[in-house]
């Protein structure tokens, strides 16, 4: 079982579109609503139709009611452009309490959600994780982030064909 990812030290290696996505995800940290954790996460996802949908983490005083930036962005993208493949998602984080010198990797629940969209679109969704120092961790497809994943296939309320 392998988890494949690689790091790029220089943003210039990425395509212009990807560099813009990274910049947007950084900006989105400033739009997070994270008064409880003071951990500000931004996400930006590029869709196949060229649209970019942005998200930031949204917290709530009833703690479990909040949502990570990645899911805010992915759910918004799917709500606004149903079925439109998500090609690349960039994720950045900023904190008042610590320096983010390691990339912030999507939590388990976000991996599960992103994977379902990736499987449905039958094309990879690339993930770009940034650090404050500037290096980018690249994961070519979500399935690399979630080996032995649960698949909701059998749950779909569709005729089995039998
Ligand atoms: N968070 C994200 O938005 N994305 C991640 O990948 C990790 C965690 C948020 C959730 C919560 O608002 C705060 O960061 C601290 O966990």
């Amino acid at each position: 079982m392998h988890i494949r990812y690689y790091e790029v030290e220089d943003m210039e290696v990425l395509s212009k579109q990807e560099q813009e996505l990274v910049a947007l995800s950084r900006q989105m940290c400033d739009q997070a609503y994270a008064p409880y954790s003071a951990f500000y996460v931004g996400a930006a996802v590029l869709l196949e139709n060229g649209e970019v949908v942005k998200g930031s983490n949204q917290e709530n005083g009833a703690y479990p009611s909040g949502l990570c930036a990645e899911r805010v962005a992915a759910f918004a993208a799917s709500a606004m452009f149903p079925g439109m493949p998500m090609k690349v998602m960039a994720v950045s984080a900023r904190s008042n309490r610590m320096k983010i010198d390691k990339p912030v990797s999507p939590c388990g629940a976000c991996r599960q959600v992103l994977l379902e969209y990736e499987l449905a679109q039958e094309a990879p969704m690339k993930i770009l994780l940034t650090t404050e120092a500037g290096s980018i961790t690249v994961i070519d497809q979500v399935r690399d982030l979630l080996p032995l994943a649960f698949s909701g296939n059998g749950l779909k309320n569709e005729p089995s064909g039998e």
Side-chain angles (χ1 to χ4, degrees):
M1 196 184 298
H2 300 281
I3 294 191
R4 289 188 307 145
Y5 67 94
Y6 50 97
E7 266 189 55
V8 298
E9 293 298 330
D10 185 359
M11 278 257 288
E12 297 298 313
V13 177
L14 304 178
S15 71
K16 276 275 168 290
Q17 256 184 336
E18 289 174 349
Q19 291 180 36
E20 278 167 29
L21 213 59
V22 166
L24 277 176
S25 74
R26 289 203 168 110
Q27 286 169 22
M28 285 308 289
C29 296
D30 298 331
Q31 312 228 14
Y33 176 68
Y36 303 100
S37 70
F39 192 75
Y40 308 98
V41 187
V45 59
L46 171 68
L47 308 184
E48 199 175 76
N49 63 358
E51 294 279 350
V52 173
V53 178
K54 300 175 283 182
S56 59
N57 55 327
Q58 302 296 316
E59 298 185 348
N60 188 273
Y63 289 173
S65 309
L67 205 60
C68 296
E70 297 92 322
R71 270 177 290 165
V72 170
F75 287 153
S78 180
M80 288 192 281
F81 303 98
M84 184 58 63
M86 303 179 201
K87 288 176 70 177
V88 192
M89 178 181 281
V91 184
S92 296
R94 183 170 60 70
S95 166
N96 296 343
R97 298 179 185 158
M98 60 186 139
K99 193 167 159 38
I100 312 286
D101 50 7
K102 294 210 173 66
V104 169
S105 204
C107 78
C110 286
R111 293 176 195 211
Q112 184 71 38
V113 164
L114 297 178
L115 180 66
E116 180 149 335
Y117 289 125
E118 182 177 87
L119 293 173
Q121 70 192 31
E122 295 180 352
M125 184 194 320
K126 192 195 264 194
I127 308 290
L128 306 173
L129 307 176
T130 82
T131 62
E132 285 178 7
S135 70
I136 313 280
T137 298
V138 184
I139 299 114
D140 280 331
Q141 48 179 5
V142 179
R143 69 193 68 186
D144 289 336
L145 276 180
L146 195 59
L148 288 180
F150 171 75
S151 145
N153 275 351
L155 301 173
K156 283 190 185 150
N157 200 6
E158 288 165 357
S160 66
E162 282 162 25

